[in-house]
Amino acid sequence: MPWKTLLTVVTAHAARPAPDLSALDAAIGLARQSNAHLEALCIGIDDTPYGFFYNDTGIAVLQDAPDRALDAARNEEKRLRNRLAREEIRWSVDTALSQQATLGSVISQRARFSDLVVLSRPYGAGRSAVDVAVVEAALFDASVPVLILPESGGISEDPGRIVVAWNRSPEALAAIRAALPVLVRAKAVDIAIIDPEDHGPERSDPGGALAQWLSRHGVKAEISVLARTLPRVSDVLIRHLRDREADLLVMGAYGHSRFREAILGGATREMLEAAPVPVLMAR
């Protein structure tokens, strides 16, 4: 199924610099190519620590903080509208107010009817816990595929080679299904399998059933069985991405519950921190 509704999220803080719009630029390119509608959501983040004010000064801050966060979001909305007005695509921009603790519900209500959420990498210079919370909200609360861009930004509108990380998990299959619109356009698709099970159902033909299913969608895929010669699975995948000169990685997203929050799991977080190419994830 082609992508017909794309979403990107921009968070605005009253006391912080304006965020970069690299994810918006990438989403515009994808919307143009897919003839999709692009939705941009500007969220004003009220990060006031409400539990620590007891005097009259604190009450004044509490009353003013949401207004300042909403003003920051509206300023960001104007910037996005000016940018999108130059594009010949279908688009809309909306504004919301949230604290970090409620980001999950705010984003899930907006993202659940999207086909793909396009976001910048949540780790690195200039990033914060809010950026991580946005990614987690889209993946775990809205259950929507997410395209994460590296620091270099951007994604080729016609990726040459795509690497698919396959471990037979439901999350990996969900990511591959979500990536079909771009997999069918790729010049080459590489199914990467790290240390396949000796006694599993695919022991005689690792990745064979997946390759056959993809071929029926018009995707010609080759299979690479990789040995885990490095300490982390993410290190093996990153080396393979570079060896294959890949343009995109498709993989399942994994996490676990902690204090009722979805925390990105080890391999997922490691790939988002270090992957040299865009990563399309789902669960």
Side-chain angles (χ1 to χ4, degrees):
M1 182 179 69
W3 300 323
K4 288 304 178 184
T5 302
L6 307 180
L7 173 71
T8 190
V9 179
V10 175
T11 56
H13 303 257
R16 298 181 188 176
D20 74 89
L21 299 183
S22 58
L24 177 67
D25 292 337
I28 288 171
L30 291 173
R32 185 187 303 113
Q33 184 184 52
S34 304
N35 191 27
H37 183 99
L38 173 58
E39 298 178 347
L41 176 61
C42 302
I43 304 180
I45 302 298
D46 176 11
D47 48 13
T48 307
Y50 285 92
F52 296 94
F53 294 106
Y54 300 98
N55 53 34
D56 292 341
T57 302
I59 293 174
V61 171
L62 291 179
Q63 293 173 336
D64 185 52
D67 292 337
R68 289 187 291 111
L70 191 55
D71 285 344
R74 286 171 176 161
N75 289 335
E76 210 51 49
E77 177 186 352
K78 292 178 183 177
R79 193 160 72 110
L80 266 62
R81 287 185 179 276
N82 290 336
R83 172 69 180 85
L84 287 164
R86 305 196 299 267
E87 302 295 333
E88 294 183 356
I89 62 171
R90 290 173 287 117
W91 58 271
S92 58
V93 181
D94 202 0
T95 301
L97 177 68
S98 178
Q99 288 189 291
Q100 183 175 332
T102 58
L103 267 175
S105 60
V106 172
I107 290 177
S108 64
Q109 289 301 314
R110 308 299 178 99
R112 64 196 307 182
F113 297 112
S114 300
D115 299 311
L116 182 71
V117 179
V118 183
L119 299 171
S120 296
R121 176 178 289 176
Y123 302 106
R127 306 300 180 188
S128 69
V130 168
D131 299 296
V132 179
V134 170
V135 173
E136 290 176 349
L139 282 170
F140 295 96
D141 295 311
S143 298
V144 178
V146 178
L147 177 66
I148 305 293
L149 303 175
E151 290 181 358
S152 58
I155 178 174
S156 171
E157 294 185 10
D158 282 305
R161 180 178 291 274
I162 299 176
V163 170
V164 172
W166 177 239
N167 61 359
R168 297 184 54 250
S169 68
E171 292 85 356
L173 188 55
I176 295 165
R177 290 184 188 278
L180 275 174
V182 70
L183 289 174
V184 297
R185 296 198 308 268
K187 295 178 182 177
V189 174
D190 186 283
I191 301 172
I193 306 171
I194 301 174
D195 280 353
E197 298 175 353
D198 293 333
H199 305 288
E202 292 190 349
R203 62 187 180 279
S204 62
D205 186 18
L210 175 61
Q212 183 182 62
W213 174 71
L214 287 173
S215 71
R216 291 169 181 161
H217 285 275
V219 178
K220 294 182 179 179
E222 60 184 38
I223 299 171
S224 296
V225 177
L226 310 174
R228 186 171 175 175
T229 56
L230 295 171
R232 302 186 303 181
V233 168
S234 59
D235 295 330
V236 178
L237 272 177
I238 288 171
R239 183 177 63 185
H240 188 65
L241 288 169
R242 293 195 170 109
D243 290 344
R244 288 291 189 268
E245 298 182 346
D247 300 302
L248 176 70
L249 171 68
V250 177
M251 66 176 288
Y254 310 94
H256 61 273
S257 178
R258 184 191 300 171
F259 305 121
R260 296 185 181 180
E261 294 181 22
I263 308 299
L264 292 173
T268 306
R269 174 169 181 151
E270 290 159 8
M271 292 307 301
L272 292 187
E273 288 177 331
V277 299
V279 181
L280 195 155
M281 290 185 165
R283 72 182 307 274

